[in-house]
Structure formats: structure tokens, C-alpha cells
Amino acid sequence: MHPIFSENRRLFGYLSVWLVIGCLAAALLVVGDYCPWASALLFSLPVFLLYGFVALSAYYVCRSLPLKERRLPQLALTFGATSLASGALLTEAAAAWMSTIAVIATPWSQFEFTHHLQAAIFGIGVVLYLLSIFGHDVLIAFENLRKAERRESELQMLAREAELQMLRTQVNPHFLFNSLNSISALTSIDAAAARDMTIALAQFFRQTLAMANFEKIPLSSELALCESFLTVEKIRFGKKLDAKIVADTDLQRSLIPPLVLQPLLENAIKHGIRNIAEGGIIEVNVTQRDAWLHIVVENPVEPDAPQASGNGMGLQNIRRRCVNLYNERARVTWKQTDNNRFTVELTIPFEMGT
Amino acid sequence: MMHTALIVDDEELARRLIREFLGKHRDIQIIGECENGLQAVEEITHSNPDLIFLDIQMPKMNGLEVLTETGRRAGVIFTTAYDEYALKAFDLHAVDYLLKPYSQQRFDEALEQARLQLGREPKAVAQLIDTTRTTRILIRDRGQTHVITVEQIEYVEAQDDYIQIHTQGKAWMKTQSLSDLEAQLDPAKFIRVHRSHLVNIAFVKGIERISKDAVVALMQDGSQVPVSRAGHERLRAVM
């Protein structure tokens, strides 16, 4: 069914436009000295109101020729034929109505339905139908646009959900198997340490699973995850690895996307600390400035080491996630300074959780 | 008969585990441990151990690059936690490897296998190394060792019995043939433009004819590299 019938307000609006058109037609009759106002209105209003319903058929005509598949000859033929037919219909209807009112209505000032008048009504009918086609085209295009927009936002939501799902199952296999190998080695060297490492590893995965369900989590949860992660990594890398995390107690409840800080630490170890013979310290600073939360991760890198080429992927991912989540109101930057330090800075809107 | 063994892994616990598993094999003498690829290259060249326990993912140079660099093929027992690309390559060439974490039993089997083939160069390993693209190149210069990535290489020039590798205004000398190096690099990125010249197309600014029968490749740093007729064809095909 035509979408206009789905809403009364729309239908009334549309019909009042046709009443105005009817009035204009009556005015033409008065100006043309065919008859006085009362008779002109009695004649034109019902005819044009009826034609308003006829013009709605343009919706189906437009729909039968989707915008993308239109070719000129076919277009001219369809639109031309339907408008001409509608114009003829209008003329016939006008003639029939005129003979009807001549019988039923008094007072009625009879006037002649000249060829001249017939041609004028026919022409008006064709033009109005073409306008209706045009209007429907615009309406359909607008509707399609809205549908596409809705579909896009749905897709975006799905993508975000898929991303969270992926995070939840995102286990770095290299980290897992190496940790298990370390535990295997520890069992005969230091059984208690092996147990501690097993527990830290389990805790790390449990925390990952728990927080990946949320779009945002309190900073304290992410920091707890980082602690478990560092506990495991410190056993693997021994004295080489140390970390200093500084975050105000007031900021513990501030909200951040899950799993953004932990991958930064992983990065710092993989591309920084691990390559340095004597190891190094990862420094994390979380601060609030005005409406923004800043997270800075800094680590030393091997001076001689080539700038890791694979480095970008993980960081790019974090940047994309933050930018998407905060609608462009987030910034993730990284740089390697001359004194062989690598810094990642993450800036997101400051939000306090409950 | 005693055999010597070298343990290469950047994690201490992983090295200690191998040490422990080797404990019951009285005929194996551990002559050293290395915690990165560079050390491994030095140690292999220096003491030529019978057996090498070699981790794939290591800082500075990975296990396969260590073998490329040293030319070593025999007596290698690979260990790895997880490395998609390496594992694929291993399976492709049917090269045996130890997946971490592994049991003493699995370790013993791999060791037994390696012992049987001692001194022989398994074809599978040779093939694996030949098809492995290098990402880093080791350069020894007055007692110092430098690592450069292949992306840094702008062009390479063959001299009498060594090659000169040009990177960011520096020229590194290395004893290797140009064809050897060419085989290790990605042919889509490195083009042999001349009998004695190899260029990284990422650093080629353009091709210029300087006389009737002399063409050069203009490099981003302003230098000109001679291009032969066949080299010109190859260069034009990719640019």
C-alpha cells in the first residue's frame, strides 16, 4: 500500500494541497469569465480531490522503474504514457462531473465545456501527474537513504559487537604457550613458583574474559589485568623486566575501553624490553587534565635495533577502536625519541564510572 | 662419544628446561647458552657445536636467520611456542620441531633423530632455509656487529669479493656474493638492475637515460645506479 495511508496526518496534508490546487483551478475559471466563484469551486474541488488519489498511483509507476535501472527511452515511454492517460482521465472525470452537477445542483450557472477548456484541463492533468512522479521519486530516494542509514548504523553496532567478541577470544598463543613452557620448567626447579605462575596465568585469562563483555570498564579493572599480565611476564623474563605504574587513586573509577593498556604493555615488552640485553622499565602514567584522561606508556628500545616494521598493527588497532568508540574524540599517538625511548600516548574523554 | 650442544633461547626458564631434559643424556656436553640471535651467530661460528637447540622467535635475529647467516644446516633441533609462518614452513618441508611446552619423551625422540643424522645436512632443513626470506642482515665491522633490516637497504653494489650495502647515507661492507644476497631477498622489492647492482624499488625515484646507451636509476638520496638493458626491462616491469 502507498505509504501515505499509513499516517492520517500525512494523508490530510496531501489532500489539502490538492484542495489548494482545486481552488487555483476555480480561480482560473473565474478569471476566464466562465462562471462565478461558487459554481467554479463546486466544479473544480471534487474533480481535483479525486485526481489527488489518481496521482498517488505515480508511486507504483516510480517503484516499477528503480532509479538505478532507468534508461531514457523506457523512462519517457512509461512516464509519458501514464501522464497522458491520467490527463485524459481527468478530462473525462471533469466532463462527467459537470453533467452530473447540471442535474443535481441548484443554483448552478451552467457554462460550456469548450474544447479550449478541455485542452487546458488535460494539460494541467498531465503536468500535475508529472509533478507527482517527480515528488514520488524524491520521496522514494529519501526513503532509501534513510533505510541505508539505518542499515549502516545496524552494521556498525554488529561490527562493534563482533569486535568485543573477538577481544574475548583473543588469546595471544605465543604468550600462552611460552608461559606454559615456563611453568613446565619451573615444576622441577621451584614448585611453588610454578603454582604461582599457573594461578597468575589463569587469573589473567579470567579477567580478560570478564571485561571483554563491556564497552567500557573502570581503570582499576584494566590495571588489575595488567598486574596479572606483568606477574606472568616477569617470571618469563626475570630481572630484565620491571614496570612502574602511576595512577591517582581518584582515577581508579574512571572509564576506559577494555584491553587497551595491557596490549600496550605487551607491545613494550615485545618490541622494547625483550630486545635489550640488560632489560628495562616500562613506565605507565595515567593523569586527568580538564575533560581528558591521558594514558602514557613509555619504554626503552634497543638503540641499534631496526625500527620494528610489524609494530604498527597492534597500535593501529587500539587507535581504531578508541576513535570509533568515542566518535573521533580520542587520540592515540606514538613516537620514538632520539634518546631511544618509545612513547605511546592515549587521550580519551574523561568519564567517571559509578 | 661425546657431542657438544648449544642452547639458544631468549627465556632463561626455557634454557633451563632443555638443560634439565639433557641431564640424563650423558654423552651430550652443553658448551654454551645464547639469549639472542646475534650471540648464537657468534657462538656457532666460534665453536661449531654438534647440536643446536634453536628457538625460532628471538630478538635481534630469529632462528632461521641465524642459520642463513651462519650457513649451518646440520644438527639443528628447532623449538618454538607458536609462530604461524614458521610452523607452516616447517610442515611444508617436513622439518621436525619441538612445540613448547614439550615432554621429556618428545624431547628424547627429537634428540635421537638428530643424533642419527649427526654431521649430515638434512635436505628438508636446507630447503627450508633456502626458501626463507631474510628480514635482517648481519654486518661485522671492526669487531662490532650491526643488524640492518632489509627495508633499510637502498641499493647494493658488488665489489671484487665483497658487497657494499647502502643505507641512509651509510655504506656497509659484507663478504657475500650479490647473487647470494639477491636469493635471500624478496624479488618483488629488490631488482637486479645490473650485473653488479641490486636496487630496492622503494628507493628508486626514476629512470634516466644519460647518454645514447647508458641508463641509470635515480635514487632518492641523489645517487645514480647503472642499469643494464636487461635490468631496464626488469625495472620497467615493476615500476
Side-chain angles (χ1 to χ4, degrees):
Chain A
M1 208 168 74
H2 196 290
I4 206 154
F5 293 111
S6 64
E7 216 178 301
N8 281 338
R9 231 184 44 200
R10 271 207 228 167
L11 184 63
F12 287 134
Y14 174 76
L15 291 179
S16 39
V17 169
W18 280 97
L19 285 176
V20 171
I21 292 172
C23 291
L24 288 176
L28 286 178
L29 285 175
V30 174
V31 172
D33 230 2
Y34 282 94
C35 57
W37 267 105
S39 301
L41 284 173
L42 186 62
F43 168 70
S44 69
L45 285 184
V47 172
F48 279 98
L49 212 53
L50 176 74
Y51 197 57
F53 287 101
V54 174
L56 286 178
S57 67
Y59 177 70
Y60 302 97
V61 177
C62 291
R63 283 258 303 248
S64 73
L65 292 176
L67 276 171
K68 275 181 215 142
E69 295 159 28
R70 287 182 183 177
R71 254 173 234 107
L72 195 64
Q74 182 197 27
L75 198 70
L77 191 74
T78 315
F79 288 180
T82 46
S83 328
L84 290 175
S86 310
L89 192 70
L90 178 68
T91 321
E92 283 308 310
W97 178 238
M98 181 172 275
S99 37
T100 312
I101 36 182
V103 178
I104 58 168
T106 47
W108 165 254
S109 61
Q110 181 77 38
F111 59 90
E112 204 184 339
F113 202 46
T114 57
H115 285 300
H116 206 71
L117 194 58
Q118 277 179 30
I121 286 181
F122 177 74
I124 290 172
V126 171
V127 169
L128 284 175
Y129 198 82
L130 283 173
L131 279 177
S132 170
I133 285 178
F134 178 71
H136 277 97
D137 260 352
V138 172
L139 180 87
I140 288 169
F142 188 68
E143 225 173 51
N144 286 346
L145 194 73
R146 248 201 350 215
K147 258 188 224 157
E149 262 169 14
R150 202 166 42 218
R151 211 162 32 224
E152 197 184 356
S153 70
E154 262 167 31
L155 277 178
Q156 252 170 12
M157 223 167 65
L158 279 178
R160 195 171 286 175
E161 225 155 76
E163 194 159 60
L164 287 176
Q165 184 72 35
M166 191 201 72
L167 277 178
R168 206 170 310 153
T169 49
Q170 190 182 52
V171 173
N172 178 348
H174 200 255
F175 168 69
L176 174 64
F177 293 129
N178 268 317
S179 301
L180 290 174
N181 198 52
S182 299
I183 292 171
S184 165
L186 277 173
T187 43
S188 58
I189 303 165
D190 183 346
R195 179 176 299 157
D196 289 345
M197 189 169 180
T198 313
I199 290 165
L201 191 63
Q203 195 158 348
F204 170 76
F205 282 114
R206 220 186 298 285
Q207 285 164 324
T208 310
L209 292 174
M211 65 173 55
N213 288 323
F214 300 96
E215 203 165 64
K216 289 172 194 164
I217 53 155
L219 178 68
S220 55
S221 305
E222 181 81 13
L223 291 180
L225 178 79
C226 290
E227 282 304 329
S228 313
F229 175 71
L230 286 169
T231 306
V232 175
E233 292 291 72
K234 276 180 187 166
I235 300 171
R236 276 180 64 199
F237 293 105
K239 289 193 199 81
K240 275 179 77 170
L241 173 65
D242 207 351
K244 206 170 83 191
I245 300 179
V246 181
D248 259 358
T249 28
D250 319 351
L251 296 178
Q252 297 292 331
R253 282 189 298 128
S254 59
L255 295 177
I256 63 168
L259 298 165
V260 289
L261 185 53
Q262 184 269 327
L264 290 180
L265 297 183
E266 202 168 338
N267 233 26
I269 294 170
K270 191 174 166 200
H271 300 290
I273 310 293
R274 200 178 165 196
N275 299 317
I276 306 172
E278 64 275 18
I281 304 175
I282 305 175
E283 285 170 47
V284 179
N285 266 292
V286 186
T287 49
Q288 180 210 345
R289 222 174 304 146
D290 303 325
W292 303 96
L293 189 75
H294 298 276
I295 300 176
V296 180
V297 179
E298 200 179 330
N299 62 277
V301 288
E302 238 272 314
D304 228 12
Q307 304 237 340
S309 50
N311 198 337
M313 266 318 283
L315 291 172
Q316 292 287 4
N317 262 340
I318 293 174
R319 172 184 280 170
R320 203 173 39 83
R321 271 182 59 210
C322 289
V323 167
N324 274 350
L325 185 62
Y326 293 102
N327 293 323
E328 315 285 325
R329 291 184 68 231
R331 208 178 54 196
V332 181
T333 54
W334 52 89
K335 62 170 188 285
Q336 185 165 336
T337 53
D338 290 336
N339 57 348
N340 299 310
R341 294 187 74 78
F342 188 78
T343 317
V344 183
E345 186 167 355
L346 197 142
T347 307
I348 55 172
F350 175 73
E351 271 178 84
M352 199 49 123
T354 47
Chain B
M1 196 184 135
M2 284 299 265
H3 298 302
T4 52
L6 179 70
I7 302 174
V8 186
D9 197 305
D10 73 316
E11 291 182 32
E12 198 204 336
L13 285 170
R15 294 196 301 271
R16 284 179 74 168
L17 184 70
I18 293 176
R19 220 169 237 286
E20 186 197 328
F21 282 177
L22 278 176
K24 66 171 202 177
H25 299 273
R26 302 265 169 217
D27 62 330
I28 309 261
Q29 183 203 353
I30 300 165
I31 56 156
E33 289 184 12
C34 304
E35 56 173 34
N36 63 51
L38 265 177
Q39 280 181 10
V41 171
E42 303 290 337
E43 198 58 42
I44 292 168
T45 328
H46 179 244
S47 52
N48 194 25
D50 298 321
L51 290 168
I52 305 167
F53 292 90
L54 186 61
D55 187 25
I56 298 301
Q57 280 227 338
M58 274 184 308
K60 302 209 175 176
M61 271 199 134
N62 73 35
L64 297 180
E65 285 167 337
V66 167
L67 297 184
T68 311
E69 190 56 42
T70 54
R72 174 73 186 235
R73 303 289 182 267
V76 182
I77 298 168
F78 294 102
T79 65
T80 184
Y82 181 86
D83 179 334
E84 223 178 323
Y85 300 103
L87 294 186
K88 237 180 238 165
F90 283 153
D91 290 337
L92 189 70
H93 296 283
V95 172
D96 191 34
Y97 54 88
L98 285 174
L99 265 184
K100 295 176 187 176
Y102 42 81
S103 64
Q104 170 92 55
Q105 191 194 350
R106 176 73 189 85
F107 180 86
D108 292 349
E109 282 168 19
L111 181 62
E112 191 54 44
Q113 197 62 33
R115 231 193 301 225
L116 283 175
Q117 300 194 336
L118 217 59
R120 262 182 286 159
E121 296 200 350
K123 227 198 222 143
V125 176
Q127 277 171 356
L128 171 71
I129 303 306
D130 289 345
T131 51
T132 305
R133 292 267 153 70
T134 312
T135 59
R136 282 165 281 207
I137 288 172
L138 206 66
I139 288 160
R140 287 195 195 79
D141 180 30
R142 277 163 285 161
Q144 272 202 314
T145 314
H146 301 276
V147 180
I148 53 175
T149 54
V150 299
E151 287 99 32
Q152 289 176 300
I153 302 176
E154 294 172 12
Y155 63 100
V156 188
E157 200 179 338
Q159 303 286 1
D160 303 327
D161 55 352
Y162 61 91
I163 51 175
Q164 213 167 20
I165 301 171
H166 295 262
T167 62
Q168 292 150 337
K170 276 190 208 152
W172 309 88
M173 290 213 284
K174 186 174 167 72
T175 348
Q176 190 179 21
S177 82
L178 191 57
S179 303
D180 262 7
L181 179 66
E182 187 188 1
Q184 290 169 16
L185 299 173
D186 185 352
K189 291 178 183 145
F190 289 88
I191 307 292
R192 185 79 172 260
V193 292
H194 190 270
R195 195 168 42 86
S196 57
H197 286 86
L198 183 70
V199 298
N200 182 349
I201 53 168
F203 290 97
V204 177
K205 221 167 50 179
I207 312 171
E208 200 172 88
R209 187 173 289 278
I210 49 167
S211 75
K212 196 161 148 280
D213 39 24
V215 176
V216 293
L218 281 178
M219 306 305 289
Q220 267 167 12
D221 67 347
S223 48
Q224 300 183 340
V225 176
V227 174
S228 67
R229 190 166 307 183
H232 194 189
E233 295 289 312
R234 282 195 285 269
L235 198 55
R236 266 210 313 227
V238 292
M239 283 186 76

